[in-house]
Amino acid sequence: MRSPGPPTRPPRRRRLLAAAAELFARWGFDKTSLDEVARAAGVSKGAIYLEFPNKDALFKAVVYRELAHYTRDWLQRFERDDDPFSFVRMFQHSIAAINANPFVKGLMTRDQRIYGSFLQRESELFAMAISLRAELFGRLQELGAMRDDIPAATLAYLISVIGHGLVAGAEAIPERQRVPFEDSLRALGLLLDRGLAPPRPRNRKAVRELLLAMVAQAQAALESHE
Amino acid sequence: MRSPGPPTRPPRRRRLLAAAAELFARWGFDKTSLDEVARAAGVSKGAIYLEFPNKDALFKAVVYRELAHYTRDWLQRFERDDDPFSFVRMFQHSIAAINANPFVKGLMTRDQRIYGSFLQRESELFAMAISLRAELFGRLQELGAMRDDIPAATLAYLISVIGHGLVAGAEAIPERQRVPFEDSLRALGLLLDRGLAPPRPRNRKAVRELLLAMVAQAQAALESHE
DNA sequence: CATTGACCAGATCAGGCTTTTCGGTCATAA
DNA sequence: TTATGACCGAAAAGCCTGATCTGGTCAATG
């Protein structure tokens, strides 16, 4: 028996994904050619088509890979944190992890430079980010860990656009008045900590456990996806 | 004696500003020619240069005019509201008014379609929006109407990028998952209402008065600017 | 003296053409 | 059977040239 997932995960596929991730991150979807990817991965161009049906699929696989990385990053930041649970930390870690990953950041801000023409064709990826968040919030509400007088879907949407503003908006603000990313992140955390808190707080330890479990589960799902 | 402000406010200038506002809003800075503006205003092209030193100045004057309109709009929404004071209302009104004015909305989101090449040259306008907000927040903090454990400047920045996310981010979210603007606005209001509240709330009536006075003052300043 | 609009120079655009690039295929090689 | 890379067609990128547009000026007008 083997761990679940498609038949085999040939190393060639990993090398292709790694090479593609690097090139896509640097040059973007449109300006990265499959010839370059093949060369960087040390295989022939034809080999790409033995692993992926087309360029879009390769790119999407890279994004899934990066989403898994992001989730793992988030999880690690969370676990390293001794605070049992608070929205401050949850969002600080989440948005810091988003900001650290160009693909996830680009996904959130619809960065034309990275996603290029892929943007017009694909919407599944964009939808996923929000529904994952909505699901998480719904669970937190059920658990009494988050205010429930606002629908989870609305909160998920709101947090998404706020995150968008935080990572994209920074560039829209004149340098002189910009606030260091960490400062704005902490301030947002403080804001949400109060803004999202339930009327009477629950067992924070249990919430932390649930949260970690959910994130780990999402990460596993993303990784199996490749 | 005459009300303060530059010497005279010839009607020609008003007509030019009105015509320019309409054309710029429809076609954007780059694709609106001064010939068209002159024709729409019923004056000659040369007359534009008797009022404004160049196209940039005309455009900037239009933006100031629109900022004054926006502030008046905000003020009216506020006054029509019987709730003495709450951040819910304050931000709902503010962002609703922003969203209703293409120039202010475009200023906030750095809309290339309206601001075009003007964007690269100008930063003063962008800076102003934030510093006005920072000043307002500072006063609210002094008055004990807003939490003061976060610097006013940081809060102003944060609210700005959140607003950016709210009006710009909407377009970045797949239709299917989008939440009606009013819903997200109300949710944000609820969030900030708790998130920004001071430890012990003050006289809300007084806060409302102060706020109205400050906004009115800002509006007057903008209007005198033309 | 206030106002006009013909005029200018520089930038932009249109379009027709050639060259290059690139996703995807498949006969061939190992 | 697995993997390669030369090859294909379509699309994009350059490129050139002439036409057009447009911000800004200023002699002429009333």
Side-chain angles (χ1 to χ4, degrees):
Chain A
M1 269 321 198
R2 186 195 291 111
S3 63
T8 320
R9 215 44 72 65
R12 180 177 62 184
R13 192 181 173 94
R14 306 168 84 92
R15 291 224 312 286
L16 272 170
L17 284 173
E22 177 144 352
L23 290 170
F24 282 139
R26 181 185 292 276
W27 303 109
F29 178 83
D30 289 330
K31 296 217 175 304
T32 299
S33 73
L34 294 185
D35 272 312
E36 289 173 305
V37 174
R39 186 153 12 99
V43 298
S44 72
K45 189 164 63 147
I48 294 179
Y49 286 85
L50 298 174
E51 298 288 347
F52 306 95
N54 54 43
K55 192 182 182 184
D56 274 22
L58 168 63
F59 185 76
K60 210 192 290 186
V62 167
V63 176
Y64 271 100
R65 196 187 89 125
E66 294 297 319
L67 281 173
H69 283 179
Y70 147 69
T71 318
R72 191 182 316 140
D73 184 11
W74 185 17
L75 206 56
Q76 281 177 0
R77 289 169 192 259
F78 222 135
E79 279 167 344
R80 231 180 280 126
D81 194 338
D82 39 323
D83 185 347
F85 173 78
S86 67
F87 289 111
V88 189
R89 303 308 181 94
M90 175 170 145
F91 286 109
Q92 278 182 353
H93 296 329
S94 165
I95 297 192
I98 287 173
N99 200 52
N101 186 310
F103 284 92
V104 181
K105 181 175 174 178
L107 187 61
M108 187 162 225
T109 61
R110 292 186 91 89
D111 187 340
Q112 288 281 349
R113 231 192 51 247
I114 289 192
Y115 282 78
S117 64
F118 182 80
L119 265 185
Q120 282 100 51
R121 287 188 295 279
E122 181 59 44
S123 74
E124 164 200 331
L125 281 170
F126 300 87
M128 200 179 57
I130 298 191
S131 47
L132 277 177
R133 208 165 245 155
E135 198 188 335
L136 173 63
F137 287 1
R139 296 290 294 274
L140 287 173
Q141 287 181 333
E142 277 172 29
L143 213 83
M146 183 184 268
R147 75 189 292 172
D148 58 1
D149 56 340
I150 305 174
T154 305
L155 279 179
Y157 174 83
L158 197 59
I159 298 298
S160 296
V161 298
I162 288 178
H164 174 103
L166 206 65
V167 295
E171 287 140 31
I173 304 274
E175 182 101 37
R176 187 157 31 91
Q177 300 195 303
R178 217 176 289 163
V179 163
F181 186 71
E182 279 69 29
D183 289 7
S184 56
L185 205 50
R186 189 161 41 78
L188 176 64
L190 289 171
L191 226 83
L192 294 178
D193 204 35
R194 276 215 220 134
L196 292 178
R200 79 192 56 173
R202 298 280 159 176
N203 181 348
R204 291 161 54 132
K205 197 95 184 290
V207 174
R208 176 192 166 100
E209 293 312 314
L210 170 78
L211 204 65
L212 287 176
M214 282 195 69
V215 176
Q217 184 189 328
Q219 193 217 325
L222 285 165
E223 265 180 356
S224 84
H225 208 292
E226 193 66 338
Chain B
M1 266 323 193
R2 186 197 292 113
S3 61
T8 320
R9 212 47 69 63
R12 180 177 62 186
R13 193 181 172 93
R14 304 167 85 93
R15 292 224 311 286
L16 272 171
L17 284 173
E22 177 146 351
L23 289 169
F24 282 139
R26 179 186 294 275
W27 303 110
F29 178 83
D30 289 329
K31 297 221 173 303
T32 299
S33 73
L34 294 185
D35 271 313
E36 289 173 304
V37 174
R39 186 155 9 102
V43 298
S44 73
K45 189 162 64 148
I48 294 179
Y49 287 85
L50 298 174
E51 297 288 349
F52 306 97
N54 53 43
K55 191 183 182 182
D56 274 22
L58 167 62
F59 185 76
K60 210 193 291 188
V62 167
V63 175
Y64 271 100
R65 197 187 86 125
E66 294 297 320
L67 281 172
H69 284 178
Y70 147 70
T71 317
R72 191 183 315 140
D73 184 11
W74 184 18
L75 205 56
Q76 282 177 359
R77 289 168 191 260
F78 221 135
E79 279 167 343
R80 231 180 280 126
D81 193 339
D82 38 324
D83 185 346
F85 173 80
S86 66
F87 289 112
V88 190
R89 303 308 181 93
M90 174 169 146
F91 286 110
Q92 277 182 355
H93 296 328
S94 165
I95 298 192
I98 287 173
N99 200 52
N101 187 309
F103 285 91
V104 182
K105 181 175 174 178
L107 186 61
M108 188 163 226
T109 60
R110 292 186 93 89
D111 186 340
Q112 287 282 348
R113 230 192 52 246
I114 289 192
Y115 282 78
S117 63
F118 181 80
L119 220 42
Q120 281 100 53
R121 288 188 294 278
E122 180 62 44
S123 74
E124 165 201 332
L125 280 171
F126 300 87
M128 201 181 56
I130 298 191
S131 48
L132 277 177
R133 208 165 245 156
E135 199 189 332
L136 173 63
F137 287 0
R139 297 288 294 275
L140 286 173
Q141 287 182 332
E142 277 171 29
L143 213 82
M146 183 183 267
R147 75 190 293 173
D148 59 1
D149 56 339
I150 306 173
T154 304
L155 279 179
Y157 173 82
L158 197 58
I159 298 297
S160 295
V161 297
I162 287 178
H164 173 102
L166 206 64
V167 294
E171 286 140 33
I173 303 273
E175 182 100 37
R176 188 156 31 91
Q177 301 195 302
R178 218 175 289 162
V179 163
F181 187 71
E182 279 68 30
D183 289 8
S184 57
L185 204 50
R186 190 161 41 80
L188 176 65
L190 289 171
L191 226 84
L192 294 179
D193 205 34
R194 276 215 219 134
L196 292 178
R200 80 191 58 172
R202 296 282 160 177
N203 181 349
R204 291 160 52 130
K205 197 96 183 289
V207 174
R208 176 192 166 99
E209 293 312 313
L210 170 78
L211 203 64
L212 287 177
M214 283 195 69
V215 176
Q217 185 189 328
Q219 191 216 326
L222 286 166
E223 264 178 0
S224 84
H225 208 291
E226 193 67 339

